[in-house]
Amino acid sequence: MTSKIFKSIILTVLTSIILTVSMFMVVLYNQYTKEISDTLKGQVIYIENGIILNGVEYLNSIKSNNNRITLITTDGDVIYDNEKGTARLDNHLEREEIKEALALGEGSSKRYSDTMGKEAIYYAKKIDGDMILRVSVLVSTVDALLLGMSSNIFWIIIITVIIALLLA
């Protein structure tokens, strides 16, 4: 009888821990994605001010390791891209964030990038009347953060289970 109760308690504790950690990871992922979106928005404003003060040439002075910076005409033609150059890029007019920027002045999306071959978070803003400035970051950056935390979370789970076993 006590063996069944003991197994039931352990199963309940494990289930609770797994559900709690899963929900925590989803909330953390969503929160971090929102933080990245807010950071991208701030970067667009900063770069926009640089363009206003120094012209489009300002983009050549930016050194960015993590972010892709793209300047697009309102026709969808890419006139600057710090990752891929402009020669091989398709028209961007049908991209979700570009459509939003044209319609509302700014737009964002999280989608698969055909150019980069990975999922990315985008923020775009219509600037200077006839251009759209877009900054993006690969989602793998977010995933790497969560993956880096997973070993710590694993040890927390193990310690919690051991404590539950000792107390049961």
Side-chain angles (χ1 to χ4, degrees):
M1 179 73 168
T2 47
S3 174
K4 278 188 173 184
I5 294 172
F6 182 73
K7 287 179 185 176
S8 177
I9 290 172
I10 294 301
L11 183 62
T12 303
V13 168
L14 284 174
T15 303
S16 298
I17 290 171
I18 290 169
L19 287 174
T20 301
V21 168
S22 298
M23 287 187 287
F24 175 74
M25 294 298 278
V26 168
V27 168
L28 185 64
Y29 183 85
N30 290 336
Q31 181 62 33
Y32 191 65
T33 300
K34 183 187 177 313
E35 292 292 326
I36 285 179
S37 295
D38 291 345
T39 300
L40 292 177
K41 186 175 185 176
Q43 290 173 351
V44 165
I45 292 168
Y46 180 82
I47 295 168
E48 177 186 17
N49 288 332
I51 292 172
I52 290 169
L53 293 173
N54 302 304
V56 176
E57 299 79 31
Y58 172 74
L59 294 171
N60 294 320
S61 69
I62 299 173
K63 305 292 183 232
S64 178
N65 295 334
N66 296 328
N67 295 343
R68 181 175 172 204
I69 302 167
T70 313
L71 190 62
I72 305 156
T73 66
T74 52
D75 295 331
D77 297 322
V78 177
I79 56 176
Y80 176 84
D81 188 295
N82 69 327
E83 293 279 328
K84 296 291 183 180
T86 59
R88 300 177 302 200
L89 295 176
D90 297 335
N91 188 290
H92 280 42
L93 201 55
E94 293 301 314
R95 311 281 163 85
E96 181 182 337
E97 67 279 359
I98 303 302
K99 286 182 189 178
E100 284 182 25
L102 286 170
L104 306 171
E106 63 180 357
S108 62
S109 68
K110 180 181 164 192
R111 60 175 177 77
Y112 182 81
S113 168
D114 292 327
T115 305
M116 303 304 286
K118 296 179 181 177
E119 191 173 22
I121 300 169
Y122 296 90
Y123 178 79
K125 182 179 181 194
K126 190 172 182 184
I127 63 168
D128 200 27
D130 62 344
M131 292 185 289
I132 299 164
L133 178 61
R134 181 183 73 176
V135 178
S136 64
V137 66
L138 293 177
V139 172
S140 59
T141 306
V142 179
D143 293 342
L145 172 78
L146 294 177
L147 188 60
M149 291 175 43
S150 62
S151 65
N152 293 333
I153 291 171
F154 172 77
W155 285 111
I156 290 170
I157 291 172
I158 296 299
I159 291 168
T160 304
V161 169
I162 289 170
I163 291 171
L165 287 170
L166 292 173
L167 294 176

